[in-house]
Every structure is written in C-alpha cells, then in structure tokens.
C-alpha cells in the first residue's frame, strides 16, 4: 500500500533522511520510532506530498507521490505534528471545508462530517471555534480531519502527543480499529504505544533505518541471552557457586536486599531454559524461593541499544538525546 | 474550479469571522466618506460661484467630482490592501495549516487563485459600500454612468495588482508584520516610480511612466478603457500570481 524506496532528503549539506526504504502492507499499522530529529516528520511529509524528496520515490496506493500527487493525496489522510486547525472556524465548518478540498462529493459531505465527529468523539464540540478547543480536542479534530475522506492511507505524526491517559487509550483504540480498513503509519516517542498498537516497527536514527520488524521479534532478536531474576531467602556466599554450576548458566550476580533476602540475576545462553534447574537447586538446599521471573529486554532498551549503537559506529561520543 | 471556490469562500469567511473585514470595510468607508464630503463641498462652492458668474464656465460632475474621488480611493487602497494580503500565506505558515492545504489534493494554482479571489472578494465588498455614495450623486445629480463603471473596473484591476503582489510577499515570510510592511513599501514604490521620470532621459521616462501603477488608472477614472492599460493590469496580476506559484514551489523544496 505504501512503498518507500531509497528516500533521501538533504537540506544543503545536512542529510535529514538517508536512503530510507520500507513498505507497508494494506491494513497494517506501522510504528515509526526514533529520537527527536531522526527524520520521522520529514519522511512523513514526503509520503504525504508536502515536500519533495531529494532522491528516491514513494508510491501510495499505486500512485507515485511525485508524479501523480493529486491521485496519491486523494487517498491519504494526514495528521501533522500540530493539528492544522483554523482558529476562526467552528469544528463543523472546519471539517466541512476539509471534506470539500479533499474531494468528498457534495451530497456526502454532511454525512462524512457527522461520521468522523462521532468516531473521534468530538460531536459535542461541533459548534465550538477551533481556537477554544483543549489540546485533547484539537488532536482529535486533527484526527477527524485526516479521516474525513475515508483514505486508504493514514499518516499520523505523534497522534497521542499532549493527550491525557484516558484520551491516549481511546486514541490508540481508535487507531487499532482503523487498522483493518486503513493502512496506517504513526510516529511516536512513546515506546509502549508501539508494542500495543503496531504490527510492525521501523526504527530510524539520524535519518537511517536501523531496524524493521515486529515488536516481538525485535525484543527477541536483541536478547542475546536470557536473564532471570530470583529473590531467594538464603544467607552466605554459597548461592553463587551453587547456581553457576547449573549447565547453561553463564553469569550469576548476587545483590543482598535490605530485608535479609538476596536478589540474584542469572544469565543463561539462548535456548536453555534453566528455570526448572534453578528452582530445584534452591529448593533442594532448603533455601526459600520467593520469586523467579524472566527479565525481558523492553522496547526502551532495544531502542536505546539500536540508536546508541549507531552513534558508536559513527564514532560520535555524545550520547543521543532520547525523550521517551 | 470547485476547489477554487471552496478556498475563496474559506478565505472570505475567515476575513468576516475575524474583526479584519469589519475594521477594514468600516475605516475604508469612513475615509471614502470624508473624501466624498470634501470633494462634494468643493464642487458645491464652485457651482455656486458659477451661478453667480464667477466660476468656471461649465461644470461636469464626472470630471470634477467622481474622477478625483476615484483617485483618492486608490490612495486608501494603497494603505488598506497590504493589511488584507499580509496574512494570506504568513498566517497559514505560522499556524501550520499550510500543511493541510499542501497535502490536500489541490494544485498550487488552485490554492493561489482561491486566496486571490478571497482577497478580491473582500476588496469588492469594500468598494460595494461606496456605491452608496454614488447612488446619492445619481439621485440628486445627473452624472454619466459609464465613467463610473470604468472607474470601478479600474479600481478592481488596480486592487488586483496590489493583491497579487501582496500574496507573493506574504508567501515569502512567516511574519505578518514583515509581509505587511514590505508589501506597503512595494506598493508605494510602484505608485511613485515615475516621479523621478523628469530627471531621467526620455526613454527612461517613458519606461518609468509605463511601470507606474497609478499612471494607468487615470484613463479608467476618466471613463476610457484603453487596451494598453487593460493589458498592463491583467499581465501584472498574472505575473504576480505566477511568481507566487514559484515562491510556494521553492518553499516546498526548501522545506
């Protein structure tokens, strides 16, 4: 549905987007993840036809965005970072205006406007001026605007930015619902959002794609080893050699916690499930096993890992600014 | 065409939703009314003097009142129009709504024409208020209607030139004040460009006088539609809109 091929955007000597290639299948929700200034917004602006690329091409719903912009734009809904609202217009007038310029047929305009207002829960604000809307409503009117022509492709630039937790959940739910009938690309800083809403993730850093995969695979791929966390009621230094002797265990780190128990981290090689052996070893020696759980590498860790790896490759010592 | 009309209507209704339209129309009417009164009083005194055998031999209301009134009205337009056009693009850029327009299935030409017609609509509404003054003249006097009609045509064309330049300048900046000031300076320059004509050589003088935007207005105010002037105004407008299209396009590339 969306095909991005070798996209490059340069501003003078500065390369904002560098040879980005990915594709989004019909009905898929793709998360676009990256630190500030990674090139997310630029890429989205190119996909929506707001600006041309320096090199490469984008095909949206079978239409080349540069060669047939009108056809491609007819099939695209776009929510920019700041919702593009006209302060003087009421929500209804605004959505009617957008419906008209997006090519919704005259007699269908009213129905479409009512429909998107209902879906985005802004119907109660229909006759209020956009200037007087709260941030949450602005964002939702922005989303309503993007949906107005029932586009094949939805491009959402940080759709949940500035919303309160309840609204965030509602918006994510809405995006998920839309997933089946619309192909969606959404950018975000918020990592749990990606694992909750997206089918696939593209991680971008300094204008380059550093990873494309499902959230689950990304987590799995980056876990070179499994880590278990145990809480054990035991004293003395016998625990370390006892656990290190189990086949497959590569590292044991013991940290006494305040209440007289021990926190233990155990690394094991991939493919070895050592949980049974760990439990048997502890219980067999008469110690109390209070907790045993796998420590998963979170998307946050993956994200930091990938985006900072990038900077070490390029030998740039300054740490990457990540606001997540 | 449907898109152009939708955009023009949006422009026009945003003028009327904000205080801009009422302020601009109100003060235009006030100033026009003042000039109208001044010229009318002068005309009255002259005709009184004529009736006593001391004034001019013939009195022509078209030449003595309406033509100078149009000239004065163009001066008001010079001040007012930059305030109408300065926000057209600048405001969209500042608030980010330009992203909506540029990602909608619209061509640049449609957007520009929509904005142009929207501003022209407000300008025409300003001029429409002055029809009231004309109606008074027609009611109590007996002016020729043709020079009045050509005068309004000239006013619209002159305003169109200003608006096309205003759109161009507004498309170059995010800052409305900058857009307004530069537009005003350019308008004024176009207005007075032939003042230095008498110090220049004969060829330069002809060129400068042809460039001067108000030089071409005289004939319209007098009731003459000269193709020379018509071509000047129309090509001026088209060229201004063309440059605006180029400016919007380069803006895209620069991001």
């Amino acid at each position: 549905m969306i095909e991005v091929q070798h996209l490059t955007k340069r501003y003078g000597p500065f390369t904002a987007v560098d040879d980005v290639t990915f594709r989004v299948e019909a009905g898929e929700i793709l998360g676009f993840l990256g630190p500030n200034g990674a090139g997310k917004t630029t890429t989205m602006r190119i996909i929506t036809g707001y600006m041309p690329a320096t090199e490469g091409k984008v095909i949206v719903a079978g239409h080349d965005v540069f060669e047939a912009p009108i056809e491609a734009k007819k099939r695209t809904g776009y929510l920019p970072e700041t919702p593009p609202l006209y302060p003087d217009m009421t929500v209804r007038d605004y959505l009617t205006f957008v419906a008209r310029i997006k090519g919704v047929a005259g007699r269908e305009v009213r129905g479409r406007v009512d429909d998107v207002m209902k879906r985005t829960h802004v119907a109660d604000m229909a006759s209020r001026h956009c200037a007087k809307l709260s941030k949450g409503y602005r964002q939702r009117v922005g989303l309503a605007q993007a949906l107005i022509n029932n586009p094949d492709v939805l491009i959402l630039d940080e759709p949940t930015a500035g919303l309160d937790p309840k609204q965030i959940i509602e918006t994510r739910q809405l995006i998920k619902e839309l997933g089946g009938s619309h192909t969606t690309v959404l950018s975000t800083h918020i990592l749990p959002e990606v694992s909750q809403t997206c089918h696939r993730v593209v991680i971008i850093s300094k204008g380059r794609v550093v990873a494309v995969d499902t959230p689950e695979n990304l987590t799995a791929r980056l876990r070179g080893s499994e880590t278990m966390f145990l809480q054990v009621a035991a004293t003395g230094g016998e625990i370390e050699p006892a656990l290190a002797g189990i086949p497959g265990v590569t590292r044991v780190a013991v940290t006494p916690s305040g209440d007289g128990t021990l926190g233990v981290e155990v690394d094991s090689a991939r493919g070895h499930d050592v949980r049974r052996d760990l439990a048997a070893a502890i219980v067999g020696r008469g110690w109390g096993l209070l907790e045993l759980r796998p420590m998963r590498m979170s998307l946050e860790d993956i994200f930091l890992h990938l985006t900072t790896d990038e900077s070490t490759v390029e030998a740039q010592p300054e740490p990457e600014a990540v606001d997540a | 065409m449907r898109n152009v009309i939708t955009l023009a209507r949006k422009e026009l209704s945003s003028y009327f939703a904000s205080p801009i339209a009422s302020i601009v129309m109100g003060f235009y009417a006030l100033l026009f009314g003042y000039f109208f009164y001044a010229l009318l009083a002068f005309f009255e005194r002259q005709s009184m003097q004529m009736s006593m055998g001391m004034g001019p031999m013939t009195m022509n209301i078209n030449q003595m009142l309406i033509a100078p009134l149009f000239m004065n009205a163009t001066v008001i337009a010079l001040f007012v129009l930059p305030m109408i056009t300065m926000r057209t693009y600048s405001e969209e850029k500042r608030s980010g709504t330009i992203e909506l327009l540029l990602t909608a299935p619209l061509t640049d030409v449609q957007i520009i024409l929509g904005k142009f017609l929207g501003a022209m609509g407000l300008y025409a509404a300003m001029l429409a208020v002055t029809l009231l003054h004309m109606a008074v003249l027609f009611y109590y006097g007996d002016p020729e209607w043709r020079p009045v009609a050509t005068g309004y045509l000239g006013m619209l064309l002159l305003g169109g030139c200003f608006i096309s330049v205003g759109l161009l300048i507004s498309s170059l900046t995010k800052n409305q004040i900058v857009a307004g000031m530069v537009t005003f300076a350019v308008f004024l320059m176009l207005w007075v460009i032939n003042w230095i004509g008498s110090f220049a050589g004969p060829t330069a003088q002809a060129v400068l006088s042809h460039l001067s935007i108000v030089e071409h207005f005289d004939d319209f105010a007098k009731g003459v539609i000269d193709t020379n002037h018509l071509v000047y105004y129309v090509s001026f407008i088209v060229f201004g809109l063309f440059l605006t299209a180029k400016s919007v396009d380069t803006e895209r590339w620069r991001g």
Side-chain angles (χ1 to χ4, degrees):
Chain A
M1 191 53 86
I2 305 173
E3 234 174 287
V4 177
Q5 293 166 358
H6 305 291
L7 205 63
T8 300
K9 177 73 183 178
R10 290 191 201 96
Y11 298 104
F14 174 70
T15 307
V17 175
D18 191 2
D19 197 24
V20 164
T21 301
F22 63 89
R23 53 183 296 152
V24 194
E25 305 301 334
E28 193 176 32
I29 303 176
L30 182 89
F32 213 51
L33 208 62
N36 277 342
K40 298 189 298 282
T41 300
T42 305
T43 308
M44 293 182 128
R45 282 179 163 178
I46 294 170
I47 297 174
T48 54
Y50 175 73
M51 53 164 73
T54 315
E55 278 162 40
K57 66 184 200 172
V58 176
I59 295 164
V60 170
H63 299 277
D64 189 308
V65 173
F66 314 121
E67 268 145 39
I70 300 290
E71 289 306 310
K73 285 173 183 177
K74 268 184 194 161
R75 291 161 179 79
T76 311
Y78 175 40
L79 170 64
E81 220 168 334
T82 28
L85 309 182
Y86 289 105
D88 295 332
M89 288 191 191
T90 65
V91 171
R92 178 178 288 282
D93 288 348
Y94 170 70
L95 291 174
T96 307
F97 167 70
V98 179
R100 291 224 176 91
I101 60 168
K102 289 268 185 95
V104 175
R107 61 188 180 292
E108 286 169 27
V109 168
R110 213 189 147 79
R112 286 298 308 160
V113 169
D114 284 333
D115 182 49
V116 294
M117 284 202 296
K118 212 165 80 191
R119 287 176 89 169
T120 52
H121 309 287
V122 295
D124 46 336
M125 294 288 163
S127 51
R128 187 175 286 211
H129 283 102
C130 291
K132 296 197 174 123
L133 295 176
S134 68
K135 176 83 179 133
Y137 270 106
R138 273 160 194 264
Q139 200 72 23
R140 281 185 280 164
V141 173
L143 198 57
Q145 162 275 125
L147 290 169
I148 195 100
N149 55 337
N150 202 13
D152 296 333
V153 169
L154 266 180
I155 311 287
L156 310 174
D157 200 349
E158 298 187 17
T160 55
L163 301 183
D164 68 36
K166 184 165 165 282
Q167 293 165 336
I168 289 179
I169 293 167
E170 282 170 7
T171 307
R172 280 183 197 155
Q173 194 56 41
L174 178 67
I175 292 169
K176 267 193 200 169
E177 283 166 28
L178 296 169
S181 47
H182 305 263
T183 306
T184 309
V185 176
L186 69 90
S187 78
T188 181
H189 292 308
I190 308 162
L191 293 148
E193 190 159 290
V194 170
S195 43
Q196 281 170 28
T197 45
C198 301
H199 303 131
R200 266 188 330 134
V201 187
V202 170
I203 298 182
I204 179 171
S205 173
K206 296 215 173 84
R208 291 210 199 126
V209 172
V210 290
V212 188
D213 218 326
T214 60
E216 297 78 39
N217 281 356
L218 274 180
T219 323
R221 205 174 82 192
L222 275 139
R223 233 184 310 143
S225 60
E226 313 260 349
T227 305
M228 296 294 159
F229 177 80
L230 299 91
Q231 203 184 0
V232 184
T235 46
E238 314 154 44
I239 192 158
E240 202 174 321
L243 298 185
I246 296 168
V249 170
T250 54
R251 183 183 71 99
V252 179
V254 183
T255 40
S257 49
D259 54 0
T261 61
L262 299 171
V264 187
E265 270 181 40
V266 179
D267 284 3
S268 61
R270 268 179 98 177
H272 284 268
D273 192 349
V274 292
R275 283 175 292 183
R276 242 176 270 270
D277 296 334
L278 286 174
I282 290 163
V283 177
R285 285 175 175 78
W287 300 326
L289 180 58
L290 305 177
E291 192 182 352
L292 169 69
R293 63 180 159 88
M295 280 172 72
R296 285 250 155 76
M297 202 165 173
S298 71
L299 218 47
E300 260 96 349
D301 301 325
I302 297 164
F303 182 69
L304 282 172
H305 183 80
L306 282 171
T307 51
T308 41
D309 252 10
E310 177 84 356
S311 61
T312 47
V313 168
E314 290 179 2
Q316 286 175 342
E318 79 272 5
E320 192 108 26
V322 181
D323 41 330
Chain B
M1 199 56 211
R2 190 185 94 133
N3 287 334
V4 174
I5 292 166
T6 306
L7 287 164
R9 269 179 52 188
K10 175 233 131 197
E11 288 292 320
L12 202 55
S13 65
S14 83
Y15 287 128
F16 280 92
S18 67
I20 296 175
S22 16
I23 299 276
V24 163
M25 284 172 72
F27 281 91
Y28 187 82
L30 181 73
L31 290 167
F32 190 90
Y34 175 77
F35 286 124
F36 179 76
Y37 174 75
L39 285 164
L40 191 65
F42 181 69
F43 184 78
E44 214 174 25
R45 198 167 64 194
Q46 292 241 305
S47 55
M48 204 114 78
Q49 285 172 347
M50 189 187 77
S51 65
M52 292 188 281
M54 304 191 297
M57 298 310 283
T58 51
M59 296 285 295
N60 181 323
I61 192 167
N62 282 91
Q63 272 173 31
M64 297 183 69
L65 203 163
I66 296 175
L69 189 59
F70 275 128
M71 291 308 285
N72 286 336
T74 58
V75 179
I76 318 174
L78 170 75
F79 288 94
V80 170
L81 286 176
M83 295 175 206
I84 294 181
T85 59
M86 68 183 195
R87 63 191 286 280
T88 43
Y89 269 96
S90 312
E91 176 71 14
E92 303 251 18
K93 276 197 210 171
R94 198 189 51 76
S95 70
T97 45
I98 193 80
E99 281 199 72
L100 173 69
L101 296 184
L102 294 188
T103 58
L106 301 168
T107 62
D108 288 350
V109 173
Q110 286 173 336
I111 299 173
I112 291 164
L113 281 181
K115 288 191 173 295
F116 176 73
L117 292 178
M120 281 301 276
L122 178 57
Y123 179 57
M126 275 162 51
L127 291 182
V129 177
T130 67
L131 289 174
L132 223 67
H133 303 88
M134 293 299 170
V136 170
L137 292 183
F138 277 92
Y139 186 77
Y140 291 103
D142 187 23
E144 281 247 23
W145 69 269
R146 285 190 189 86
V148 176
T150 58
Y152 276 107
L153 177 67
M155 289 289 291
L156 281 175
L157 287 168
L158 181 88
C161 293
F162 281 167
I163 289 170
S164 75
V165 173
L167 280 181
L168 170 65
I169 292 162
S170 184
S171 75
L172 295 169
T173 175
K174 260 184 205 176
N175 189 316
Q176 293 194 28
I177 305 295
V178 170
M181 184 58 219
V182 175
T183 308
F184 177 70
V186 172
F187 281 11
L188 197 59
M189 229 21 231
L190 287 168
W191 195 279
V192 299
I193 199 157
N194 64 334
W195 286 13
I196 52 166
S198 51
F199 307 114
T203 326
Q205 186 172 5
V207 170
L208 290 175
S209 140
H210 188 75
L211 280 178
S212 168
I213 197 159
V214 79
E215 198 69 16
H216 296 270
F217 183 72
D218 274 343
D219 278 350
F220 283 102
K222 286 176 190 149
V224 180
I225 300 182
D226 187 334
T227 9
N228 172 24
H229 304 317
L230 207 58
V231 167
Y232 170 84
Y233 279 141
V234 171
S235 50
F236 191 109
I237 292 170
V238 171
F239 188 59
L241 297 180
F242 169 77
L243 288 183
T244 312
K246 290 290 134 196
S247 149
V248 172
D249 200 41
T250 47
E251 183 75 10
R252 270 186 190 208
W253 282 94
R254 277 183 286 139

